[in-house]
Amino acid sequence: MDLEKAKRALEDRLEKLGVRVSKIESDLRNPGSRDWTDRASEKENEEVLERLNMSERIEIDQIRAALVRIREGNYADCSKCGDPIAPGRLEALPYTNLCIDCAE
């Protein structure tokens, strides 16, 4: 496993998520319409944005934790059992901290 490549990919994803979260938060801060029917639709949109924002913040936290594991030298080790995480799993989900057995 190429740790530098993994680190760059995680940092790139972190940067993209940061931009998206900033945009979502900006959209959520903007005042809505005064029209009741428009406001109801905007409320639905806000709820979707809030869930998306939460999901992306969770991913940001997971990426930051993966970057710490890279620095500490235990990136490819399962946090639960200590066994190696399969390279294919790390490629598919680069911020995972669990091997496939522990994830199930």
Side-chain angles (χ1 to χ4, degrees):
M1 157 148 301
D2 184 353
L3 287 181
E4 276 305 309
K5 183 178 175 183
K7 181 180 175 189
R8 281 191 308 274
L10 287 165
E11 290 171 339
D12 288 346
R13 179 71 178 151
L14 186 61
E15 183 178 338
K16 289 175 185 170
L17 284 170
V19 169
R20 287 175 56 180
V21 165
S22 293
K23 170 81 171 96
I24 290 170
E25 289 176 350
S26 174
D27 289 348
L28 287 170
R29 282 192 299 269
N30 288 334
S33 172
R34 297 224 185 267
D35 180 61
W36 190 86
T37 54
D38 288 345
R39 188 65 193 132
S41 177
E42 289 171 0
K43 182 66 176 163
E44 278 184 38
N45 291 340
E46 287 173 3
E47 290 171 1
V48 169
L49 286 175
E50 287 170 356
R51 285 192 300 275
L52 183 59
N53 189 29
M54 175 75 72
S55 173
E56 290 185 348
R57 287 188 168 281
I58 290 169
E59 187 175 349
I60 286 170
D61 289 344
Q62 291 171 327
I63 290 170
R64 287 181 177 154
L67 290 169
V68 168
R69 289 192 309 277
I70 287 173
R71 277 194 305 273
E72 292 176 349
N74 58 1
Y75 172 66
D77 299 335
C78 177
S79 298
K80 190 171 183 180
C81 70
D83 287 345
I85 300 171
R89 178 162 169 75
L90 286 170
E91 284 180 32
L93 197 61
Y95 50 78
T96 189
N97 65 329
L98 298 173
C99 68
I100 193 71
D101 291 334
C102 289
E104 292 176 347

